[in-house]
Amino acid sequence: MLKEALIGTLCGAVVLTIGILIGHFGIQKNSAPSWVNDVAKDVDEALIQQFLSEVETFQLQENLRELTKVPHMATSPGDEETVKYVLKRWQDPETGLDEAWRQEYEIYLSFPNPTNPNKVTVVNSLDSVLFTVREREVNYTADQNDPQVVQPFAAYSPAGHAKGKLVFANQGKPSDFQHLNKTIDLRGTIAITRYGGEGRGRKAINAAAYGVVGLLVYTDPLDMNDGLMSDTNETYPHSWYLPPTGVERGAYNRDFGDLLTPYLAAKEDTYRIPPEDITGIPPIPTQPIGFQDARTLICALAGEAAPKDWQGGLDCIYNLGGPGFKPTSPFNNSDVKLDIYNEEKIVNSSNVMGVIRGSVEPDRYVIYGNHRDSWVHGAIDPSSGTAVMLEITRVLGRMVKKGKWRPRRSIIFGSWGAEEFGLIGSAEYTEEYFTKLSERTVGYINVDISVFANATLSASAMPSMQSVIFRAAKQVNAPGFDSTSVYDNWIRYTNRTSPAHGIIPRVGYLTGAGSDYAAFVHYLGITSIDMSYTYDRSKTNARIYPAYHTAYDTFDYASRFIDPGFVAHQAVGRTAGNILIRLADSLLLPFNCKDYAESLEDYLNTAVNLYQKDLIAKSISMEPLSKAVANFRKEAEQLDKVIQSSDLANETPLKVRKINDQLMLMDRAFLNPLAFPNEYGFRHVIWASSSSGKPTFPGIADAFAQANSSHLASDWKKVHYHLSVVAQAIDGAANMLKEVI
């Protein structure tokens, strides 16, 4: 009995031991926490294909129809309607985002006086009015009769009265006024300039420096309409070209962000500088007009003929002005008079923000933005971009709501307010969340005007984003083609030869401040892209789509002449959404630093060819810059080898995170807050705007141009300074790519 008991006990112990061992190893093998698989998960190509299939032209069309029902200039009643519409869409229980809210700022804006409109007249010596410029455009469709259609005006032009003899100043560049000043005393004159060649905000500043007391700005039919001028059969409503009375509105400030709160978010209690301390706005009364009225004025000017490259599309010889009008003109001995009644106000403006929270790295952000405000109905600028953004959020939001998908990283959507007045909504957002965005943002996608026309994709970006743009473009069919990708269509229109990749589409650089990417690129150093569909530049000289910033930018204009069928909107939505998913979901960020090295090498080669001979004569060496670029190339290739040799899905998550941080933060190393003290918000020493027009490092290019003009020793020292700034920034970026230290 005892023996049986012992045997039984022993057998039980053996069974128990075996059970424990089986249980132990079984649990050890199969009980890994669920996050292990999530951490190693990469972008799902099947999900991208599903996304592409669900972006619908009908939804895009209806989005645009809704967004353009009323004019929605920043802070207007129409703008408030679009705020509520975007919020409603992002809070929809079936297709909305995880969370959406209003982000409020108190900002300084400029408006025409609604009861005392601006006037431009020609008056004789008795102050009798001989001619009056139109205050509003001719209406062709019912929506242009909306009382919220704002009179054309130059935002931030001071109120005031100016009277003087008229002169023609081409594009209002410093060189244009220098040329005029050789033969004409410009003091006390009124100048008329055409759009283009110089930022609208700088034209009046340039004019005032020569004593000009008032400025008119118009759109020349040569620059926008390929010379066509008649609204009976050539311009809108018969084609996409600008009608004769069309006027391009715009903000005439040089800097971006709220003008009273530089480097501070414009909250209710924020310190504000006095308005008289604002710089970079017109010092003289300024007003835009249509080319119909510009023709009446320019074709009556006296004086010698303007240079050949100043001649435009109006059917007369452009003279410089006597100053003033021809003796044979009805306006002989008459003045042009500007009566400007603009008023400035501090008003409330809203960003609409939405988020899809990330599942693995919620503290890493991919931001997708587009501004919401327009000058009038704004079908193309910006509602084409908003229509695309709303369709992307509809498709992704529905996937999230149905539990089919949640991104690895958090996606933040921004519908920026008051962009047209100087990129204000996005700039204030970056100023309010400067540290958090600097430390956590992976990338920024900007789709402002999504469709200029329907010929080809156009993109500008940091070079490291080139590869993900190309990959996305290869997966989307080009509008009007069943078997041609957006990529293959793009390469037909604009391309370049890359030493590494051969012939590829040309991706531009984000060197200016043309849209809401500016604060993300120049102020925060965040890897960014700006993209759209555009026109065939071999078929038109239009500097932008012709109805830009006018009352003719309506749903009718967009649906008939810009993108019938909304197929280009769809292509942009598919391409931008594809890039967005890849940035949000890829295990390893899809950035290629070797492509960045190629761009730096191009900039270096240009700089050497343009400047090295003169710099050697001044005992300034370019060797540190050459060594820095070579160092960046070496470290980029070394990091690429580490990536290629690693099985990242089976590596420790910390290694993936480390590499991703290197890729994410590399552009931050190019920031120098002291490099451009006179340029607000520009800290990125590679992509800052430049006045030199040279495709190379902007600080060096501008400093060299100044020194070469002045021949001052102090200016040559500034060239040396900018060489050091750029060389050390590139070395700093190269060190970001090193594995540890």
Side-chain angles (χ1 to χ4, degrees), residues 350-550:
S350 300
N351 291 341
V352 183
M353 308 302 300
V355 63
I356 299 175
R357 284 184 288 274
S359 60
V360 179
E361 299 180 82
D363 64 327
R364 289 293 179 261
Y365 312 144
V366 181
I367 304 177
Y368 185 112
N370 158 245
H371 74 95
R372 186 189 60 259
D373 65 300
S374 64
W375 286 112
V376 192
H377 289 84
I380 299 303
D381 183 9
S383 299
S384 66
T386 307
V388 166
M389 181 164 63
L390 290 177
E391 178 60 358
I392 289 173
T393 58
R394 181 190 71 85
V395 176
L396 296 182
R398 185 166 61 181
M399 290 179 178
V400 170
K401 296 293 185 183
K402 289 186 175 181
K404 294 183 176 180
W405 173 74
R406 181 164 292 282
R408 178 187 188 88
R409 303 176 184 93
S410 294
I411 301 175
I412 299 173
F413 293 95
S415 175
W416 313 121
E419 184 269 359
E420 295 292 6
F421 287 83
L423 318 181
I424 294 178
S426 57
E428 300 314 297
Y429 179 74
T430 59
E431 288 170 346
E432 182 170 11
Y433 300 108
F434 175 85
T435 301
K436 182 162 70 172
L437 295 177
S438 296
E439 296 296 328
R440 297 180 178 180
T441 307
V442 164
Y444 175 68
I445 299 171
N446 193 69
V447 182
D448 179 346
I449 299 172
S450 69
V451 178
F452 290 87
N454 57 6
T456 179
L457 187 71
S458 174
S460 296
M462 265 76 156
S464 53
M465 284 194 78
Q466 174 180 275
S467 58
V468 69
I469 298 168
F470 289 169
R471 184 166 186 180
K474 289 175 181 178
Q475 291 185 296
V476 179
N477 286 336
F481 297 93
D482 292 329
S483 57
T484 300
S485 69
V486 165
Y487 177 91
D488 289 333
N489 183 61
W490 182 11
I491 207 170
R492 296 171 181 171
Y493 284 92
T494 176
N495 58 67
R496 69 179 183 90
T497 300
S498 160
H501 308 295
I503 298 176
I504 56 175
R506 182 177 296 277
V507 176
Y509 297 143
L510 295 172
T511 53
S515 189
D516 286 301
Y517 58 79
F520 293 93
V521 171
H522 302 303
Y523 189 49
L524 298 183
I526 290 170
T527 306
S528 301
I529 174 178
D530 182 63
M531 61 178 293
S532 62
Y533 235 74
T534 191
Y535 43 86
D536 182 350
R537 294 190 178 273
S538 70
K539 295 182 178 179
T540 177
N541 290 321
R543 63 181 175 84
I544 199 170
Y545 72 97
Y548 175 70
H549 285 192
T550 73

Side-chain angles (χ1 to χ4, degrees), residues 714-737:
S714 59
D715 284 339
W716 286 109
K717 290 179 181 178
K718 290 179 182 177
V719 179
H720 192 179
Y721 168 75
H722 279 283
L723 271 165
S724 297
V725 166
V726 173
Q728 292 188 21
I730 294 172
D731 261 332
N735 276 286
M736 285 297 298
L737 304 182

